[in-house]
Amino acid sequence: MTFPYKGYAGQYLDIDLSKGKVLKRKMEEEWARLYLGGTGVAAKILWDRTGPKTNPFSPQNIVVVGTGPLTGVMFSPSGRFMFASKSPLTGVWAESHAGGFFGPEMKYAGVDFIIFNGRSPKPVYLFLRDGKAELLDASALWGRETAETTDMIREQHKNPEIETAVIGPAGENQVLYSCIIVDYYRAAGRTGIGAVLGSKNVKGIAASGSLGLEAYDMEKYLAANEGEMEKLNDPLWKESLSSLRRYGTTDLVAIINEIGRLPTKNHWTGFYEDADDIGPEAIATKFRIAQEACHGCAIGCKYIYKIMDGPFVGGPAGGPEYETLMAFGSNCMNNDLASIIHLGTKCDLLGLDTISCGKSISFAMDLWEQGILTEKDTGGLDLSWGNVDSMVQLVEMIAKREGLGRLLSKGVRKAAEKIGGDAWKYAVHVKGLEASGQDPRAHQSVGLTYATNVRGADHLRSLSSLEELGYPEIVTQRFGEEKTEAILDIMSPRHKGELVWDMEDLYAIVDSAVICKYGTMWPPVFYFDTFSNVITPLTGMKEWSDPKYVRRTAERISHLRRAFNHRLGITRKEETLPKRLLQDPMPTGPSKGGLPDLAEMLDEYYDFRGCDRETGYPRKEKLLELGLDYVAKDLEQRKMLR
């Protein structure tokens, strides 16, 4: 019997690496109806197949690779897919998304999801081609950097159009924040899923497909899709879209520094005096040579660089993105733009998350300044702020887990625990995940986003640009005129609990569909109505035409991920911020004196989410309302319900 819903390949792979078996299974209808795809389905699978005692590096941990109904179809942007697992860095929910062309290719090869479990006795990679799936020997690929790995796979199959998602030496060495590199320089970063694949002896996945996809009602779907794409032409978005198309995410360096929110000197402050040296104009005029877009994207924010002279000659290659410029630039007090670009590319080749890698180095530089680390600890490396030579060496040492790199490969939380003393004061993380390129002392809702984010101090699960960049029309439309002034006040905590709750649910659907945050986060073009407009004519799932159903599904996914973390010990106590971001007022810049009012925002967030204020645990009636009876039963037995 064929899968009844269109827009899906209708099949997933359940792979037992220990036995070398690839089982093809029909996609579960309930997964599509109740969780849509991507993040939602991955949350259901991980809930069912892992538990509190699952060691992230054990054969019992799984890695889920997922697409959504909008992956690879005529929707902009539709080139994304995702990974999920239990994180070796944080010990809780791990999730990472990437764009490019691999996701659509995986789906065209006839696969919606892949579940890796067990551990292969030898290095392997998964090859997908038009309904066929096989584990192939990766012994010759082991130890290779990501670009060379992709080249070798394409050469082996005599097909230069094969798309890949592979780990580098960092993942093989189980660096806790190693990532998966897609199509040479797009990263499924954060939370260390590359290390989980490395522990399973999986070098990666290669896909080539031509099976295509069907729509339930093509005429209505095309009409709905055209209506959504027409929204991109609204003059309201002209400036934002122009910025993304002209500069990509690098424009954020200038925008965010202007409001005093650019992490600088290991998050000591949010204002970098040399921001222009690493900003959008410097990159565009000195290094950028071409522009790219992911599959089906009408925005096209990706750029290609080349360094023509100096010690870091290289390229062409992709990047850099804002987060890399922040992590290796302002946060390390490094204004040598060529070196930042080089460090970002080196991380791509080694398979390292640039945010966590850069933040681990800035953490070490801070400890050096405080006298907590000395030459005896660094093996002679000078970790003065902005020391490019030491930074370049450290990236290699981290990937190989050599010398000081072994300590920093564990991330700032574990490194601080190992060092002891006052080191914890300089470890800027939430739940073990190094903070991304935002600062809650300059933007109240960022603090709540960091605290409640299921994967830690990261922006991609609920960050709001509505008040950051100023969209009064959208705020009024979504929350009402009476709340608009307070929400638009970037330093007011009022109504930020509701704002983050709404964003978290919206992004839960975005990440399950699966599409890009650009067009939903910034600029805020697509909203819940987008999905009630396009999902039904695409898939034939009638209930998805009801906006209330879309909202309820979003809540279901958000609560399921939170419950996954509750089982692992996460309560309100862990939904907090590091000392530097919660207690130390912003010392310089436009946001001088700023601090987040986290307690007030958390209370409001828990009220909207349907959780207990004291513990953060969900209320039983909320879980039952969402059809999460099995979650309620489990948490009740653990005394985690209110």
Side-chain angles (χ1 to χ4, degrees), residues 101-298:
F101 300 88
F102 177 88
E105 208 68 26
M106 169 178 155
K107 209 166 165 188
Y108 301 155
V111 178
D112 290 307
F113 286 87
I114 302 164
I115 304 171
F116 288 108
N117 67 88
R119 176 181 291 132
S120 174
K122 65 178 183 179
V124 294
Y125 72 96
L126 178 66
F127 181 65
L128 308 174
R129 172 65 184 172
D130 288 349
K132 297 180 180 180
E134 53 185 335
L135 292 170
L136 299 179
D137 185 18
S139 299
L141 305 175
W142 209 250
R144 310 278 184 174
E145 294 185 343
T146 58
E148 185 181 13
T149 298
T150 292
D151 288 341
M152 291 176 68
I153 288 173
R154 289 178 169 181
E155 183 178 341
Q156 179 179 343
H157 295 280
K158 297 180 172 54
N159 184 352
E161 296 182 353
I162 285 175
E163 303 298 339
T164 62
V166 300
I167 66 171
E172 298 172 8
N173 294 330
Q174 295 170 38
V175 174
L176 297 189
Y177 45 81
S178 53
C179 62
I180 301 112
I181 298 299
V182 179
D183 305 343
Y184 289 110
Y185 42 79
R186 290 176 173 87
R190 317 255 58 198
T191 68
I193 300 178
V196 181
L197 287 178
S199 75
K200 294 181 176 300
N201 274 328
V202 174
K203 184 66 173 176
I205 316 166
S208 175
S210 60
L211 295 179
L213 299 165
E214 296 180 25
Y216 174 76
D217 188 324
M218 182 62 81
E219 186 176 342
K220 288 184 178 179
Y221 173 69
L222 290 176
N225 184 62
E226 184 178 352
E228 294 302 318
M229 294 305 102
E230 185 59 34
K231 293 178 181 178
L232 291 168
N233 296 322
D234 191 315
L236 187 61
W237 323 122
K238 183 177 180 181
E239 186 176 344
S240 297
L241 290 174
S242 175
S243 168
L244 274 171
R245 287 165 178 157
R246 183 177 182 185
Y247 297 117
T249 62
T250 66
D251 200 19
L252 292 172
V253 173
I255 293 171
I256 289 176
N257 197 55
E258 189 174 326
I259 62 173
R261 208 197 73 185
L262 178 65
T264 301
K265 200 177 181 184
N266 192 33
H267 277 273
W268 177 72
T269 186
F271 182 73
Y272 185 43
E273 292 183 356
D274 295 328
D276 287 347
D277 294 344
I278 64 171
E281 283 295 338
I283 294 169
T285 56
K286 297 178 182 178
F287 300 106
R288 187 163 288 157
I289 61 172
Q291 182 177 1
E292 272 193 356
C294 296
H295 179 278
C297 183

Side-chain angles (χ1 to χ4, degrees), residues 2-80:
T2 58
F3 192 62
Y5 305 129
K6 305 302 180 183
Y8 297 90
Q11 181 175 258
Y12 74 97
L13 303 178
D14 198 344
I15 300 176
D16 185 336
L17 292 163
S18 300
K19 297 179 179 178
K21 290 186 177 181
V22 179
L23 300 177
K24 298 178 184 178
R25 302 188 188 278
K26 178 187 169 187
M27 173 83 165
E28 299 285 345
E29 293 180 27
E30 181 186 76
W31 289 356
R33 286 189 302 101
L34 299 180
Y35 307 98
L36 189 59
T39 290
V41 172
K44 170 63 173 165
I45 295 170
L46 277 160
W47 175 272
D48 289 342
R49 298 179 63 163
T50 65
K53 295 182 180 180
T54 304
N55 185 306
F57 284 148
S58 72
Q60 288 70 43
N61 194 18
I62 65 172
V63 174
V64 180
V65 190
T67 64
L70 291 182
T71 301
V73 302
M74 291 174 285
F75 187 91
S76 175
S78 61
R80 298 187 74 79

